[in-house]
Amino acid sequence: MLSAGLPQGTVPKLERPGPLRDRVYEALLELITTRALQPGQHLVESELAGHLGVSRQPVREALQRLNTEGWVDLRPAQGAFVHEPTEDEADQLLTVRTLLEAEAARLAAANAGTAGITALEELCAQGERAVADDDVDGAVAMNARFHTKVMELAGNAVLAELAAQVDRRVRWYYTPVARQRGRQSWIEHRDLIDAISARDERRATEVMRAHTEHTRKTYHEREK
């Protein structure tokens, strides 16, 4: 058990082939994003290395990279800690997300075909099942896949690239409110599918904007 409180079995051993430091980076970033490693938790190199089945060197390199990207704070004489996002940081990112996703919804309404709409309906059904099963991790994963699919249906590569840059942090902020958003989030997804299916660009934009704003508001009102 890590002193940071990471549950046993959460971290799989990494396979050796490939650039190990990149794989360690991705593993740690996923643990932070899903909040298996909580904001403010101390990250001990030797313990992380043991759980990942690697030496301390790739862990140290990964922590340096995560520090550069704002996921980890390196404190002199104290070590590495998962970054604790401020309310302003969250607000700024979620506001940008609203702008990107609202435009993606508009474009999806203009461009999506039958196959794309069917894919959204299938993802929505999976998300609804996850909520019914109280599977928070599953609901978060399906939420991310649903929004990625909307972005894909928008058909704008530049918009998709910008959205990909904030996707991980959106998941980071969404995880602690996923249970609170619960079924209502997927009702809003259904409304969005209806707007896209009707090719109603204005309605799709409005629904997505309201949907992402609900998440932003819920994040700020969450229990800390």
Side-chain angles (χ1 to χ4, degrees), residues 128-147:
E128 289 165 343
R129 286 195 293 272
V131 170
D133 294 338
D134 197 29
D135 178 5
V136 174
D137 290 342
V140 171
M142 294 315 303
N143 182 73
R145 287 181 60 186
F146 182 90
H147 283 270

Side-chain angles (χ1 to χ4, degrees), residues 2-5 37-45 47-48 78-82:
L2 286 175
S3 61
L37 290 171
Q38 289 284 323
Q41 286 190 350
H42 187 202
L43 303 175
V44 180
E45 287 182 8
E47 293 178 346
L48 291 171
Q78 295 183 52
F81 296 81
V82 178

